[in-house]
């Protein structure tokens, strides 16, 4: 048993901490207020190699491992959740399907520019009426004269409408399986596809600087070769992608909780009441200690899931446990941190009010807490 | 370029009264922040001069500092040499400069780039002394440097502006923070750094015969003291705005600031 990070993992963590604190944190407030997508930060993250962090060098990536990826996401989220989700969704949802299921030609065409961070890509699974029941896909794609004709709607799609976005990979019903159930496949939909449109950005409570849109397909025609992976494997493959995605959201949650703890610690030392810093009061000290305890616990779970993935083991259970626990830890930490801030926490004056808003989605995105519990219960054979 | 490893700049520093040396245990070691500017200057020069230019990190440090030296490689330096020996511990400016100069001579160089001082000792004496031992022109406090036709051209920072000076290579230059913000080590740099060589040089390899380190030091630290505590601020309690303003004005007048 060894809890030390490798030299590379440590160096990547240091780099991301330095970058996040120096470049990301100072912009977080303005980006949140203006709902401004972090183009400049994406360009810098691309330059540093973060946008292709876990992919092989031959496909434009940085060849780092999942533990490094989790550490990077944590450090970014500690400074700003919007920037962190932009990077994390890009890597784990946008680019990963091409890496796992793409043909060599699709990898060259899509994965390389994505890993280099020159292009962003969406992951179109959720629909207005298919969220937790992701299998209830209503979007249809019919193969007619060598073209897929797509009709339907996708909801809440991250990175789907930026100036850098090249397109979105979707799930669509492409026919009926022999057992009568719908056959679901993945299709690659470039931005320029006629009949494919993006809505305006959603007005969101948190993650306000990240780009989230509704996608609509009206007789959108795609070349037949835009199938990603095998026909009929669409849902299975996307669920495999989501397993890795859970590590992302778990790391985001830990990062946010950690950021909330940083803010609470600073505020508690600066703020005086009854003639001394409030950090001198046991009521505040206990809150801070409890937060740190939970963060360390959650961090350990996330890194274990990431390590299992790196070792090529089955990490589904660990990733689900880590995602569920970290999301709830992030809620408790932003809540206690805001409480320590008192009235000032309720004002839009300290980063904690943004963190409080940014937190809620951690318990909803990539499987709600309830779905996470269902998934874990199923793995327990219940 | 030469780099020094120093205790984490954000850590609280403590001096051991018995040895009169900085306590380094329990404190992370980092690259001297001033030396990161030397690395930046070296990499900028390499980018300008192109292929055939090699940037070597040269450091006198214990072997445990290898991973910190690797950060300079992750930023883009080509390789590193560490002059390492237990006998070098406790070196003063003279020792350090002499040992580095011998090591550099042995290794060979066209231009030595140094940070202008270290975050821990802060003497600022080493670059000039290395130049002396190397017998090459030494340019200190450079805000910009350039190499053309075998000559070095340097803008030296002064109190009122800068002077442009030029001299033949080989040479030594120490740089200020004006050369440009040190770049981040990219992931590619970090992943590639483990494949780069960090050679270890002993004093014997460098041809150093005499004892160095604490036993060879020419200076001795006699006494040390923490910085004086700040005197207590004067608190002015005023009835209202105008009387408060008047009190502040009186205070400024008293200090001859108004």
């Amino acid at each position: 048993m060894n809890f030390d990070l490798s030299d590379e993992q440590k160096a990547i963590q240091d780099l991301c901490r330095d970058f996040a604190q120096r470049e990301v944190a100072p912009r977080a407030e303005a980006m949140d207020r203006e709902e401004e997508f972090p183009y400049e930060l994406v360009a810098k993250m691309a330059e540093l190699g973060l946008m292709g962090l876990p992919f092989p060098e031959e496909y434009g990536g940085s060849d780092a491992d999942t533990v490094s990826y989790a550490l990077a996401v944590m450090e970014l989220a500690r400074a700003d959740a919007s920037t962190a989700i932009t990077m994390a969704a890009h890597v784990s949802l946008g680019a990963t399907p091409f890496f796992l299921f793409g043909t060599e030609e699709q990898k060259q065409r899509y994965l390389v520019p994505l890993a280099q961070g020159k292009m962003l890509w969406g992951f179109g699974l959720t629909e207005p009426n298919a969220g937790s029941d992701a299998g209830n896909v209503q979007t249809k794609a019919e193969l007619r004269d060598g073209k897929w004709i797509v009709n339907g709607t996708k909801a809440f799609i991250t990175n789907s409408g930026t100036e850098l976005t090249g397109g979105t990979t979707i799930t669509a019903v492409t026919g009926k399986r022999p057992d009568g159930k719908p056959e679901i496949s993945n299709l690659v939909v470039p931005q320029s596809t006629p009949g494919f449109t993006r809505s305006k950005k959603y007005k969101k409570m948190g993650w306000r600087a990240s780009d989230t849109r509704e996608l609509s397909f009206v007789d959108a025609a795609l070349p037949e070769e835009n199938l990603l992976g095998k026909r009929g494997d669409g849902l299975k493959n996307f669920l495999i992608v989501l397993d890795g995605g859970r590590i992302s959201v778990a790391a985001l949650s830990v990062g946010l909780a950690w950021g909330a703890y940083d803010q609470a610690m600073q505020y508690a030392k600066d703020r005086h009441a009854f003639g001394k810093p409030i950090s001198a009061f046991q009521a505040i000290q206990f809150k801070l200690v409890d937060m740190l305890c939970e963060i360390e616990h959650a961090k350990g779970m996330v890194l274990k899931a990431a390590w299992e993935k790196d070792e090529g083991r089955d990490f589904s259970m660990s990733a689900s446990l880590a995602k569920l626990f970290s999301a709830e830890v992030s809620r408790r930490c932003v809540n206690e941190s805001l409480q320590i801030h008192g009235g000032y926490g309720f004002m839009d004056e300290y980063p904690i009010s943004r963190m409080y808003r940014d937190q809620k989605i951690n318990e909803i995105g990539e499987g709600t807490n309830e779905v996470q519990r269902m998934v874990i219960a199923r793995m327990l054979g219940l | 370029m030469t780099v020094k490893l120093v205790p984490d700049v954000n850590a609280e520093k403590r001096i051991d009264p018995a040895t009169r040396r900085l306590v380094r245990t329990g404190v992370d070691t980092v690259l001297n922040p001033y030396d990161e500017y030397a690395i930046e200057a070296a990499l900028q020069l390499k980018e300008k001069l192109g292929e055939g230019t090699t940037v070597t990190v040269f450091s006198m440090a214990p072997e445990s500092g290898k991973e910190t030296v690797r950060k300079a490689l992750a930023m883009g330096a080509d390789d590193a040499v560490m002059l390492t020996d237990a006998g070098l511990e406790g070196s003063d400016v003279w020792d350090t400069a002499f040992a580095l100069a011998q090591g550099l001579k042995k290794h060979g160089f066209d231009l030595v780039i140094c940070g202008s001082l270290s975050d821990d000792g802060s003497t600022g004496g080493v670059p000039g002394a290395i130049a002396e031992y190397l017998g090459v022109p030494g340019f200190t406090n450079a805000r910009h440097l350039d190499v053309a036709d075998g000559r070095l051209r340097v803008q030296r920072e002064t109190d009122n502006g800068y002077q442009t000076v030029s001299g033949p290579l080989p040479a030594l230059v120490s740089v200020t923070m004006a050369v440009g913000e040190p770049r981040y080590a990219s992931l590619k740099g970090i992943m590639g750094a483990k494949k780069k060589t960090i050679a270890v040089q002993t004093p014997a390899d460098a041809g150093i015969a005499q004892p160095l380190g604490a036993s060879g030091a020419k200076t001795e630290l006699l006494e040390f003291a923490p910085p004086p505590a700040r005197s207590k601020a004067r608190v002015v309690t005023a009835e209202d705005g105008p009387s408060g303003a008047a009190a502040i004005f009186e205070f400024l007048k008293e200090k001859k600031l108004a």
Side-chain angles (χ1 to χ4, degrees):
Chain A
M1 190 89 197
N2 182 353
F3 283 97
D4 282 332
L5 297 177
S6 74
D7 295 331
E8 286 81 32
Q9 289 163 347
K10 184 84 184 59
I12 290 170
Q13 184 185 40
D14 286 348
L15 160 71
C16 292
R17 183 170 298 170
D18 206 20
F19 173 75
Q21 294 305 321
R22 272 164 59 182
E23 316 256 348
V24 180
R27 298 174 204 211
E29 186 190 343
M31 291 186 331
D32 173 70
R33 191 184 305 128
E34 307 298 329
E35 301 182 299
E36 179 198 325
F37 185 79
Y39 285 106
E40 211 182 307
L41 291 173
V42 167
K44 285 187 178 174
M45 290 194 287
E47 207 177 299
L48 293 177
L50 292 173
M51 301 302 277
L53 192 145
F55 306 114
E57 259 183 88
E58 55 183 306
Y59 295 120
S62 301
D63 222 357
D65 57 15
T66 315
V67 168
S68 302
Y69 170 74
L71 294 167
V73 173
M74 280 179 205
E75 291 299 336
L76 290 172
R78 202 174 157 187
D80 177 38
S82 287
T83 304
I85 183 56
T86 299
M87 176 271 198
H90 171 75
V91 170
S92 79
L93 302 180
T96 295
F98 291 108
F99 174 61
L100 292 179
F101 314 114
T103 60
E104 184 56 32
E105 199 197 325
Q106 285 171 328
K107 284 182 185 160
Q108 292 299 336
R109 187 158 164 198
Y110 301 109
L111 181 57
V112 171
L114 291 175
Q116 291 169 339
K118 289 178 181 161
M119 187 162 87
L120 297 175
W121 204 270
F123 175 84
L125 173 65
T126 302
E127 297 188 357
N129 292 308
S132 292
D133 53 344
N136 183 32
V137 179
Q138 305 291 308
T139 299
K140 286 190 170 51
E142 261 182 85
L143 196 54
R144 268 189 246 151
D145 306 326
K147 282 192 184 289
W148 294 104
I149 308 298
V150 185
N151 283 286
T153 308
K154 294 287 174 184
F156 316 138
I157 310 304
T158 305
N159 289 342
S160 62
T162 75
E163 288 163 21
L164 290 170
T165 305
T168 293
T169 308
I170 61 165
T171 45
V173 176
T174 49
K176 224 177 215 174
R177 297 195 316 203
D179 63 4
K181 287 188 179 165
E183 173 200 83
I184 298 171
S185 307
N186 294 140
L187 294 169
V188 175
V189 193
Q191 252 11 22
S192 57
T193 307
F196 170 34
T197 50
R198 278 75 60 193
S199 72
K200 280 189 184 167
K201 283 199 272 190
Y202 286 100
K203 293 277 173 201
K204 303 195 293 287
M205 159 184 169
W207 285 6
R208 284 165 54 86
S210 95
D211 183 275
T212 321
R213 296 175 198 253
E214 185 173 274
L215 313 182
S216 138
F217 308 88
V218 179
D219 289 333
L222 300 169
E224 190 175 351
E225 72 258 22
N226 279 24
L227 186 72
L228 183 71
K230 280 213 309 247
R231 186 168 172 173
D233 279 356
L235 188 63
K236 186 188 86 185
N237 286 352
F238 263 30
L239 293 181
I240 291 172
V241 170
L242 280 184
D243 263 344
R246 292 198 172 112
I247 296 178
S248 282
V249 179
L252 273 165
S253 297
V254 172
L256 184 71
W258 200 349
Y261 169 80
D262 292 340
Q263 295 299 325
M265 186 63 114
Q266 188 64 48
Y267 187 84
K269 286 179 182 168
D270 292 347
R271 172 75 180 178
H272 283 65
F274 306 103
K276 43 186 167 179
I278 60 169
S279 61
F281 296 103
Q282 211 171 42
I284 304 297
Q285 290 170 357
F286 281 12
K287 282 187 196 297
L288 289 166
V289 171
D290 289 347
M291 285 164 81
L292 184 61
C293 237
E294 290 217 292
I295 293 164
E296 279 296 310
H297 184 172
K299 189 161 53 160
M301 290 176 84
V302 177
L303 293 179
K304 177 164 176 274
W307 175 81
E308 284 179 358
K309 184 164 188 274
D310 286 333
E311 293 289 309
R313 302 185 194 180
D314 179 2
F315 61 95
S316 301
M317 178 67 134
S318 301
S320 286
L321 287 170
K323 195 303 190 167
L324 171 61
F325 185 70
S326 309
E328 296 192 345
V329 164
S330 73
R331 187 213 318 137
R332 291 193 283 270
C333 284
V334 295
N335 190 41
E336 291 298 355
S337 177
L338 197 147
Q339 189 70 17
I340 289 172
H341 281 72
Y344 281 108
F346 194 64
M347 301 301 117
D348 202 3
E349 202 164 305
Y350 283 87
I352 190 59
S353 69
R354 166 173 47 84
M355 292 174 163
Y356 191 86
R357 287 184 284 103
D358 281 340
Q359 185 277 326
K360 193 62 210 173
I361 187 64
N362 290 341
E363 299 185 83
I364 299 170
E366 301 210 25
T368 61
N369 288 354
E370 293 71 22
V371 161
Q372 228 54 255
R373 286 188 165 85
M374 274 164 53
V375 167
I376 295 164
R378 203 176 302 146
M379 284 190 247
L380 290 173
L382 301 174
Chain B
M1 98 295 298
T2 60
V3 302
K4 183 178 184 183
L5 310 185
V6 299
D8 189 344
V9 293
N10 297 317
E12 205 169 299
K13 313 242 176 6
R14 213 162 49 78
I15 293 170
D16 181 344
T19 61
R20 299 196 193 100
R21 285 193 214 155
L22 202 60
V23 178
R24 288 170 198 266
T25 44
V27 181
D28 280 348
T29 300
V30 299
L31 282 177
N32 172 29
Y34 297 93
D35 293 343
E36 290 195 14
Y37 291 87
I39 300 167
E40 179 60 32
L43 295 174
Q44 284 176 14
L45 199 59
K46 180 182 159 124
E47 278 159 6
K48 185 166 174 284
L49 298 175
E51 287 297 310
T53 310
T54 305
V55 174
T56 300
V57 182
F58 213 96
S59 187
M60 183 170 113
E63 217 169 336
S64 59
K66 226 174 185 171
E67 291 320 315
T68 311
V69 167
R70 217 176 277 283
K71 190 188 167 194
L73 297 178
M75 286 171 76
D78 298 290
D79 54 15
V81 178
M82 285 179 75
L83 181 56
T84 296
D85 192 73
L88 295 169
E89 265 181 51
S91 290
D92 64 357
V93 170
W94 176 83
D95 277 325
T96 307
F98 179 78
L100 282 171
Q102 299 311 308
L104 285 161
K105 261 191 222 167
K106 188 80 189 172
H107 185 266
F109 64 92
D110 297 308
L111 176 64
V112 180
I113 306 178
C114 309
S116 46
L117 72 161
S118 63
D119 184 70
D120 52 357
S122 301
T123 65
V126 171
I130 300 176
E132 182 65 25
Y133 284 116
L134 290 173
V136 301
F139 301 83
T140 49
N141 296 329
R143 66 194 285 276
H144 183 262
L145 64 149
D146 202 2
V147 168
D149 306 322
R151 283 181 76 82
L152 176 71
R153 206 178 150 88
V154 165
Q155 290 177 0
R156 290 191 66 245
E157 255 177 51
T158 67
D159 282 347
N160 309 317
Y162 66 87
Q163 37 180 238
T164 305
V165 284
S166 163
L169 291 174
L172 177 143
V173 59
S174 73
V175 299
T176 69
M177 290 178 177
V179 291
E181 270 304 297
R183 64 195 61 192
Y184 289 105
S186 70
L187 259 72
K188 208 174 152 204
I190 290 170
M191 301 307 285
K194 62 181 165 189
K195 293 174 207 135
K196 293 179 179 173
T197 318
I198 301 180
V200 173
Q201 201 183 46
T202 63
D205 295 335
I208 299 169
Q210 65 265 57
L212 294 175
S215 58
K218 292 196 193 301
T219 52
E220 190 189 349
L221 179 67
L222 299 176
E223 211 182 335
F224 63 89
R230 257 190 239 164
S231 56
K232 224 175 171 190
R234 190 193 303 175
V235 178
V236 180
T237 315
E239 292 286 316
D240 52 20
S243 64
I248 291 168
F249 183 70
E250 276 309 309
F251 174 78
L252 293 173
K253 223 163 80 178
E254 188 188 309
K255 296 277 171 195
K256 296 195 166 48
L257 291 168

